[in-house]
Amino acid sequence: SQVGTTVLLKLGTKFLVGESSLSFDSTQAMIEVSNKTSGNDAEFEAGRISRKISFSGVSSMTPSTTKYDFKAAIEAQEAGTPIAFEVTRYTGGTPTAVVGDVKISGNCLIAGVTWDSPDNDKNTFSLDIQVTGNVTIAANA
């Protein structure tokens, strides 16, 4: 079986630190093209596709040269410039992409950053990421 905890998100050249959950959502708008002659049956055409990524992880307040952390996320959101992303399944302590598994890549913008610091529990942060432009869906070589 495919265990979801081995799916990682990479922004730019860095993996996100402390990842605990990730979701990728792709939604296509449906444009109704029905008219009076359509009768009771609605007719639709495909519209634009909007894709989002949601991420949650253990927060790191220490800047890292190898991991994408809370500080990098806030800075990227402030800059407002697209960042390359990659979502795929990895193995090992030093992540290595699993050959043959699906890889989704493209560019994104950081839409939201949340930092949660509860009492007597770990600090976490989450990202809402909006994909901008087209995506490439391929297999890891």
Coordinates of all heavy atoms in Angstrom, one line a residue, residues 47-112:
G47 N -14.3 24.5 -17.7 CA -13.7 25.8 -17.6 C -12.3 25.7 -17.1 O -11.6 24.7 -17.3
R48 N -11.8 26.8 -16.4 CA -10.5 26.8 -15.9 C -10.3 25.8 -14.7 O -11.2 25.5 -14.0 CB -10.1 28.2 -15.4 CG -10.0 29.2 -16.5 CD -9.5 30.5 -16.0 NE -9.4 31.5 -17.0 CZ -10.3 32.4 -17.2 NH1 -11.3 32.6 -16.4 NH2 -10.2 33.3 -18.3
I49 N -9.0 25.4 -14.6 CA -8.7 24.5 -13.5 C -7.9 25.3 -12.4 O -7.0 26.1 -12.7 CB -7.8 23.3 -13.9 CG1 -8.6 22.5 -14.9 CG2 -7.3 22.5 -12.8 CD1 -7.7 21.4 -15.6
S50 N -8.3 25.2 -11.2 CA -7.7 25.8 -10.0 C -7.1 24.8 -9.1 O -7.8 23.8 -8.8 CB -8.7 26.7 -9.3 OG -8.1 27.3 -8.1
R51 N -5.8 24.9 -8.8 CA -5.2 23.9 -8.0 C -4.6 24.5 -6.7 O -4.0 25.6 -6.8 CB -4.0 23.2 -8.7 CG -4.6 22.5 -9.9 CD -3.4 21.9 -10.8 NE -3.9 21.0 -11.8 CZ -4.0 21.4 -13.1 NH1 -3.6 22.6 -13.4 NH2 -4.5 20.6 -14.0
K52 N -4.8 23.8 -5.6 CA -4.3 24.3 -4.3 C -3.5 23.2 -3.6 O -3.8 22.0 -3.8 CB -5.4 24.8 -3.4 CG -6.1 26.0 -4.0 CD -7.2 26.4 -3.1 CE -8.5 25.6 -3.3 NZ -9.6 25.9 -2.6
I53 N -2.6 23.6 -2.7 CA -1.9 22.6 -1.9 C -2.0 23.2 -0.4 O -1.9 24.3 -0.2 CB -0.4 22.6 -2.2 CG1 -0.2 22.1 -3.7 CG2 0.4 21.6 -1.3 CD1 1.2 22.2 -4.2
S54 N -2.4 22.2 0.5 CA -2.4 22.6 1.9 C -1.3 21.8 2.6 O -1.2 20.6 2.3 CB -3.8 22.3 2.5 OG -4.7 23.1 1.9
F55 N -0.6 22.4 3.5 CA 0.5 21.8 4.2 C 0.4 22.1 5.7 O 0.1 23.2 6.1 CB 1.8 22.3 3.6 CG 3.0 22.1 4.5 CD1 3.8 20.9 4.5 CD2 3.4 23.0 5.5 CE1 4.8 20.7 5.3 CE2 4.5 22.8 6.3 CZ 5.2 21.6 6.3
S56 N 0.8 21.1 6.5 CA 0.9 21.3 7.9 C 2.2 20.6 8.4 O 2.6 19.5 7.9 CB -0.2 20.7 8.7 OG -1.4 21.3 8.4
G57 N 2.9 21.2 9.3 CA 4.1 20.6 9.8 C 4.5 21.2 11.1 O 4.0 22.2 11.6
V58 N 5.6 20.6 11.7 CA 6.1 21.1 13.0 C 6.9 22.3 12.6 O 7.7 22.4 11.7 CB 7.1 20.0 13.6 CG1 7.7 20.6 14.8 CG2 6.3 18.8 13.9
S59 N 6.7 23.4 13.4 CA 7.3 24.7 13.1 C 8.8 24.8 13.5 O 9.2 24.2 14.5 CB 6.5 25.8 13.8 OG 7.1 27.1 13.5
S60 N 9.5 25.4 12.6 CA 10.9 25.7 12.9 C 11.1 27.2 12.8 O 10.8 27.7 11.7 CB 11.9 25.0 12.0 OG 13.2 25.4 12.1
M61 N 11.6 27.8 13.8 CA 11.8 29.3 13.8 C 13.2 29.6 13.4 O 13.6 30.7 13.3 CB 11.4 29.9 15.1 CG 10.0 29.7 15.5 SD 8.9 30.4 14.3 CE 9.2 32.1 14.4
T62 N 14.0 28.5 13.2 CA 15.4 28.7 12.9 C 15.6 28.6 11.4 O 15.3 27.6 10.8 CB 16.3 27.6 13.6 OG1 16.0 27.7 15.0 CG2 17.8 27.9 13.4
P63 N 16.1 29.6 10.8 CA 16.4 29.5 9.3 C 17.3 28.4 9.0 O 18.2 28.0 9.7 CB 17.1 30.9 9.0 CG 16.7 31.8 10.1 CD 16.5 30.9 11.3
S64 N 17.0 27.7 7.9 CA 17.7 26.5 7.5 C 18.2 26.7 6.0 O 17.5 27.2 5.2 CB 16.9 25.3 7.6 OG 17.5 24.2 7.0
T65 N 19.4 26.2 5.7 CA 19.9 26.2 4.3 C 19.3 25.1 3.5 O 19.4 25.1 2.3 CB 21.4 26.2 4.3 OG1 21.9 25.1 5.0 CG2 22.0 27.5 5.0
T66 N 18.8 24.0 4.2 CA 18.4 22.8 3.5 C 16.9 22.6 3.6 O 16.3 21.8 2.8 CB 19.1 21.6 4.0 OG1 18.8 21.4 5.4 CG2 20.6 21.7 3.7
K67 N 16.2 23.2 4.5 CA 14.8 23.0 4.7 C 14.0 24.3 4.6 O 14.5 25.4 4.9 CB 14.5 22.4 6.1 CG 15.2 21.1 6.4 CD 14.5 20.0 5.7 CE 15.1 18.7 6.1 NZ 14.5 17.5 5.4
Y68 N 12.8 24.2 4.0 CA 11.9 25.4 3.9 C 11.1 25.5 5.2 O 10.3 24.6 5.6 CB 10.9 25.1 2.7 CG 10.4 26.4 2.1 CD1 11.0 27.0 1.1 CD2 9.2 26.9 2.6 CE1 10.5 28.2 0.6 CE2 8.7 28.1 2.1 CZ 9.4 28.7 1.1 OH 8.9 29.9 0.5
D69 N 11.3 26.6 5.9 CA 10.7 26.7 7.3 C 9.8 27.9 7.3 O 9.5 28.5 6.3 CB 11.9 26.8 8.3 CG 12.8 28.0 8.0 OD1 12.5 28.9 7.2 OD2 13.9 28.0 8.5
F70 N 9.3 28.1 8.5 CA 8.3 29.2 8.8 C 8.8 30.5 8.3 O 8.1 31.3 7.6 CB 8.0 29.2 10.3 CG 7.0 30.3 10.6 CD1 5.6 30.1 10.4 CD2 7.4 31.5 11.2 CE1 4.7 31.1 10.7 CE2 6.5 32.5 11.6 CZ 5.2 32.3 11.3
K71 N 10.0 30.9 8.6 CA 10.6 32.1 8.2 C 10.6 32.3 6.7 O 10.3 33.3 6.2 CB 12.0 32.3 8.8 CG 12.7 33.6 8.5 CD 14.1 33.7 9.1 CE 14.8 35.0 8.8 NZ 15.1 35.2 7.4
A72 N 11.1 31.2 6.0 CA 11.1 31.3 4.5 C 9.7 31.4 3.9 O 9.5 32.2 3.0 CB 11.7 30.0 4.0
A73 N 8.7 30.8 4.6 CA 7.3 30.9 4.1 C 6.8 32.3 4.2 O 6.2 32.9 3.3 CB 6.4 29.9 4.9
I74 N 7.0 33.0 5.4 CA 6.6 34.4 5.6 C 7.3 35.3 4.6 O 6.7 36.2 4.0 CB 6.9 34.8 7.0 CG1 5.9 34.2 8.0 CG2 6.8 36.3 7.2 CD1 4.5 34.7 7.9
E75 N 8.6 35.1 4.4 CA 9.3 35.9 3.4 C 8.8 35.7 2.0 O 8.7 36.7 1.2 CB 10.8 35.6 3.5 CG 11.4 36.1 4.8 CD 12.9 35.6 5.0 OE1 13.3 34.7 4.3 OE2 13.5 36.1 5.9
A76 N 8.5 34.5 1.6 CA 8.0 34.2 0.3 C 6.6 34.9 0.1 O 6.3 35.4 -1.0 CB 7.9 32.7 0.0
Q77 N 5.8 34.8 1.1 CA 4.5 35.4 1.0 C 4.6 36.9 0.8 O 3.9 37.6 0.0 CB 3.6 35.1 2.2 CG 2.2 35.6 2.1 CD 1.4 35.4 3.4 OE1 1.9 35.5 4.5 NE2 0.1 35.0 3.2
E78 N 5.5 37.5 1.6 CA 5.7 39.0 1.5 C 6.2 39.4 0.1 O 5.8 40.4 -0.4 CB 6.8 39.4 2.6 CG 6.2 39.5 4.0 CD 5.4 40.7 4.2 OE1 5.6 41.8 3.6 OE2 4.4 40.5 5.1
A79 N 7.1 38.6 -0.4 CA 7.7 38.9 -1.8 C 6.6 38.7 -2.9 O 6.7 39.5 -3.8 CB 8.8 37.9 -2.1
G80 N 5.7 37.8 -2.7 CA 4.6 37.6 -3.7 C 5.1 37.1 -5.0 O 4.4 37.3 -6.0
T81 N 6.2 36.5 -5.1 CA 6.7 36.0 -6.4 C 6.5 34.5 -6.5 O 6.6 33.8 -5.4 CB 8.2 36.3 -6.6 OG1 8.9 35.8 -5.5 CG2 8.4 37.8 -6.7
P82 N 6.3 33.9 -7.6 CA 6.1 32.5 -7.8 C 7.3 31.7 -7.4 O 8.4 32.1 -7.5 CB 5.8 32.3 -9.3 CG 5.3 33.6 -9.7 CD 6.0 34.6 -8.9
I83 N 7.0 30.5 -6.8 CA 8.0 29.6 -6.3 C 7.8 28.3 -7.0 O 6.6 27.8 -7.1 CB 8.0 29.4 -4.8 CG1 8.0 30.7 -4.1 CG2 9.0 28.4 -4.3 CD1 7.6 30.5 -2.6
A84 N 8.8 27.6 -7.5 CA 8.7 26.3 -8.1 C 8.3 25.3 -7.0 O 8.8 25.4 -5.8 CB 10.0 25.8 -8.7
F85 N 7.4 24.3 -7.3 CA 7.0 23.3 -6.3 C 7.1 21.9 -7.0 O 7.1 21.8 -8.2 CB 5.6 23.5 -5.7 CG 4.5 23.1 -6.6 CD1 4.0 21.8 -6.6 CD2 4.0 24.0 -7.5 CE1 3.0 21.4 -7.5 CE2 3.0 23.7 -8.4 CZ 2.5 22.4 -8.4
E86 N 7.2 20.9 -6.1 CA 7.2 19.5 -6.5 C 6.6 18.7 -5.4 O 6.9 18.9 -4.3 CB 8.6 19.1 -6.8 CG 8.8 17.7 -7.3 CD 10.2 17.3 -7.5 OE1 10.8 17.9 -8.4 OE2 10.7 16.5 -6.7
V87 N 5.6 17.9 -5.8 CA 5.0 16.9 -4.9 C 5.2 15.5 -5.4 O 4.8 15.3 -6.6 CB 3.5 17.2 -4.7 CG1 2.8 16.2 -3.8 CG2 3.2 18.6 -4.2
T88 N 5.8 14.6 -4.6 CA 6.0 13.3 -5.0 C 6.3 12.4 -3.8 O 6.4 12.9 -2.7 CB 7.1 13.1 -6.1 OG1 7.0 11.8 -6.7 CG2 8.5 13.4 -5.6
R89 N 6.4 11.1 -4.0 CA 6.8 10.2 -2.9 C 8.3 10.1 -2.8 O 9.0 9.9 -3.8 CB 6.1 8.9 -3.1 CG 6.1 8.0 -1.9 CD 5.1 6.9 -2.0 NE 5.5 5.9 -3.0 CZ 6.1 4.8 -2.8 NH1 6.4 4.4 -1.6 NH2 6.4 4.0 -3.8
Y90 N 8.8 10.1 -1.6 CA 10.2 10.0 -1.3 C 10.5 8.9 -0.3 O 9.6 8.5 0.4 CB 10.7 11.4 -0.8 CG 10.8 12.5 -1.8 CD1 9.6 13.3 -2.0 CD2 11.9 12.7 -2.5 CE1 9.7 14.3 -2.9 CE2 11.9 13.8 -3.5 CZ 10.8 14.5 -3.6 OH 10.8 15.5 -4.6
T91 N 11.7 8.5 -0.3 CA 12.2 7.5 0.7 C 13.5 8.0 1.4 O 14.2 8.8 0.8 CB 12.4 6.1 0.1 OG1 13.5 6.2 -0.9 CG2 11.2 5.6 -0.5
G92 N 13.8 7.5 2.5 CA 15.0 7.8 3.2 C 15.1 9.0 4.0 O 14.3 10.0 3.8
G93 N 16.1 9.1 4.9 CA 16.4 10.3 5.7 C 16.8 11.5 4.8 O 16.4 12.6 5.1
T94 N 17.6 11.3 3.8 CA 17.9 12.3 2.8 C 16.9 11.9 1.7 O 17.1 11.0 1.0 CB 19.3 12.2 2.3 OG1 20.2 12.3 3.5 CG2 19.6 13.3 1.3
P95 N 15.8 12.7 1.5 CA 14.8 12.2 0.6 C 15.3 12.0 -0.8 O 16.0 12.8 -1.4 CB 13.8 13.4 0.6 CG 14.1 14.1 1.9 CD 15.5 13.9 2.2
T96 N 14.9 10.8 -1.3 CA 15.2 10.4 -2.7 C 13.8 10.0 -3.3 O 13.1 9.2 -2.8 CB 16.1 9.1 -2.7 OG1 17.3 9.4 -2.0 CG2 16.4 8.7 -4.1
A97 N 13.5 10.6 -4.5 CA 12.3 10.4 -5.2 C 12.2 8.9 -5.6 O 13.1 8.3 -6.0 CB 12.2 11.3 -6.4
V98 N 11.0 8.4 -5.4 CA 10.7 7.0 -5.7 C 10.5 6.9 -7.3 O 9.6 7.5 -7.8 CB 9.5 6.4 -5.0 CG1 9.2 5.0 -5.4 CG2 9.7 6.5 -3.5
V99 N 11.4 6.1 -7.9 CA 11.4 5.9 -9.4 C 10.0 5.4 -9.8 O 9.5 4.4 -9.2 CB 12.6 5.0 -9.8 CG1 12.5 4.8 -11.3 CG2 13.9 5.7 -9.5
G100 N 9.5 6.0 -10.8 CA 8.2 5.5 -11.4 C 7.0 6.1 -10.8 O 5.9 6.1 -11.3
D101 N 7.1 6.7 -9.6 CA 5.9 7.4 -8.9 C 5.5 8.7 -9.6 O 6.4 9.4 -10.1 CB 6.1 7.6 -7.4 CG 5.8 6.3 -6.6 OD1 5.8 5.2 -7.2 OD2 5.5 6.5 -5.4
V102 N 4.3 9.1 -9.4 CA 3.8 10.3 -10.0 C 4.5 11.5 -9.3 O 4.8 11.5 -8.1 CB 2.3 10.5 -9.9 CG1 1.8 10.6 -8.5 CG2 1.8 11.6 -10.8
K103 N 4.8 12.5 -10.2 CA 5.4 13.8 -9.7 C 4.6 14.9 -10.3 O 4.4 15.0 -11.5 CB 6.9 13.9 -10.1 CG 7.5 15.2 -9.7 CD 9.0 15.3 -10.0 CE 9.3 15.1 -11.5 NZ 10.8 15.3 -11.8
I104 N 4.1 15.8 -9.4 CA 3.4 17.0 -9.9 C 4.3 18.2 -9.6 O 4.8 18.4 -8.5 CB 2.1 17.1 -9.1 CG1 1.2 15.9 -9.3 CG2 1.3 18.4 -9.6 CD1 0.0 15.8 -8.4
S105 N 4.5 19.0 -10.6 CA 5.4 20.2 -10.4 C 4.8 21.4 -11.2 O 4.0 21.2 -12.1 CB 6.8 19.9 -10.9 OG 6.8 19.5 -12.2
G106 N 5.3 22.5 -10.8 CA 4.8 23.8 -11.4 C 5.3 25.0 -10.6 O 6.3 24.9 -9.9
N107 N 4.5 26.0 -10.6 CA 4.8 27.2 -9.8 C 3.6 27.6 -8.9 O 2.5 27.2 -9.2 CB 5.1 28.4 -10.7 CG 6.4 28.3 -11.4 OD1 7.5 28.1 -10.8 ND2 6.4 28.4 -12.7
C108 N 3.9 28.2 -7.8 CA 2.9 28.5 -6.8 C 3.2 29.8 -6.1 O 4.3 30.3 -6.2 CB 2.8 27.4 -5.8 SG 4.2 27.2 -4.7
L109 N 2.2 30.3 -5.4 CA 2.3 31.5 -4.5 C 1.8 31.0 -3.1 O 0.9 30.2 -3.0 CB 1.3 32.6 -5.0 CG 1.7 33.2 -6.4 CD1 0.5 34.0 -6.9 CD2 3.0 34.0 -6.3
I110 N 2.4 31.6 -2.1 CA 2.0 31.3 -0.7 C 0.8 32.2 -0.4 O 0.9 33.4 -0.3 CB 3.2 31.6 0.3 CG1 4.5 30.9 -0.1 CG2 2.7 31.3 1.7 CD1 4.4 29.4 0.0
A111 N -0.3 31.6 -0.3 CA -1.6 32.3 -0.1 C -1.8 32.6 1.4 O -2.4 33.6 1.8 CB -2.8 31.6 -0.7
G112 N -1.4 31.7 2.2 CA -1.6 31.8 3.7 C -0.6 31.1 4.5 O -0.1 30.0 4.1

